Amino acid sequence: MKILSAIISSLTLLSLNVVGLSQVQAQTQGFQFQIVPVTLFGNGCPDGTAEGILNGDTLSVTFSAFEALASPPKVVSQSCNLRIGLNVPSGFNVQPINVKYLGFADVPQGGSADLNVRITFQGQEVPTIDNPNATFGPGFSDVWSKDVGIVLGTINACAEPVSSIFGINSNLTARARSIPVNQETQIRIDTIDTTIGPVLFQIKFAFNPC
């Protein structure tokens, strides 16, 4: 009887260990490769259809560069808002932790350019650790990059799948009121070169135990 009890206890412990190991593996492996829906709206969205690719710990939004270009004496503002359908499968407890994007600005003397980005989740603005925006003054001509930490609770899909909407609202403004007549003010969000192709935004996730 004692031997039988010991065997049952050992099997129970082994089963629990296997379940725990599979949960840890699920959390550390990240998302399986999948394409997620992306909706674009705004007067400056690039031509073509955007696509969201979820793989590992990263959600990548692929489409071409987005820019604002102004010749004197104009002020040009372009906006492009993304809505990304995020379906977290059961067995995951994930937390979006940062958003990465980069670009270029060329501002002649007498001009200026602004980058404004607002990150949303389920229709509500998400607080950020780093400033997602930037202003480029006269004489700036260089690349820029943003790696913005975000403050957002976990998406708990431990027991059942969770569907949510992640949003990125971006606005670029190029001012050329007082620049020389033969020049232009420009600002753009460029693509990030990755193995899956040109990516405009990357969202990173952390995986927490269920």
Side-chain angles (χ1 to χ4, degrees), residues 12-183:
T12 301
L13 182 60
L14 178 61
S15 176
L16 290 173
N17 286 338
V18 169
V19 171
L21 178 60
S22 64
Q23 288 177 340
V24 170
Q25 287 176 334
Q27 299 296 341
T28 55
Q29 287 173 354
F31 295 114
Q32 290 185 345
F33 181 91
Q34 59 179 292
I35 295 174
V36 300
V38 177
T39 301
L40 300 178
F41 57 95
N43 67 339
C45 292
D47 293 334
T49 302
E51 189 173 65
I53 297 177
L54 191 59
N55 190 32
D57 66 349
T58 305
L59 172 59
S60 302
V61 181
T62 66
F63 60 117
S64 57
F66 160 48
E67 70 174 352
L69 185 67
S71 55
K74 296 179 180 179
V75 175
V76 174
S77 184
Q78 302 279 14
S79 66
C80 188
N81 302 326
L82 312 178
R83 294 297 177 267
I84 307 157
L86 179 61
N87 298 312
V88 181
S90 59
F92 287 92
N93 187 21
V94 303
Q95 183 176 17
I97 55 173
N98 76 301
V99 179
K100 181 180 179 181
Y101 46 101
L102 52 80
F104 174 79
D106 183 28
V107 183
Q109 294 297 325
S112 66
D114 290 337
L115 161 75
N116 288 283
V117 174
R118 188 166 64 95
I119 300 162
T120 68
F121 183 75
Q122 297 294 75
Q124 302 296 316
E125 186 169 359
V126 176
T128 61
I129 298 169
D130 311 287
N131 186 1
N133 309 316
T135 295
F136 304 99
F140 183 93
S141 182
D142 205 349
V143 295
W144 53 264
S145 64
K146 289 286 184 178
D147 195 346
V148 180
I150 57 179
V151 182
L152 186 62
T154 59
I155 304 171
N156 190 336
C158 291
E160 59 185 16
V162 174
S163 296
S164 54
I165 301 294
F166 202 96
I168 302 175
N169 299 342
S170 50
N171 188 84
L172 302 177
T173 302
R175 299 181 185 86
R177 288 194 185 99
S178 303
I179 69 172
V181 294
N182 61 341
Q183 297 186 27

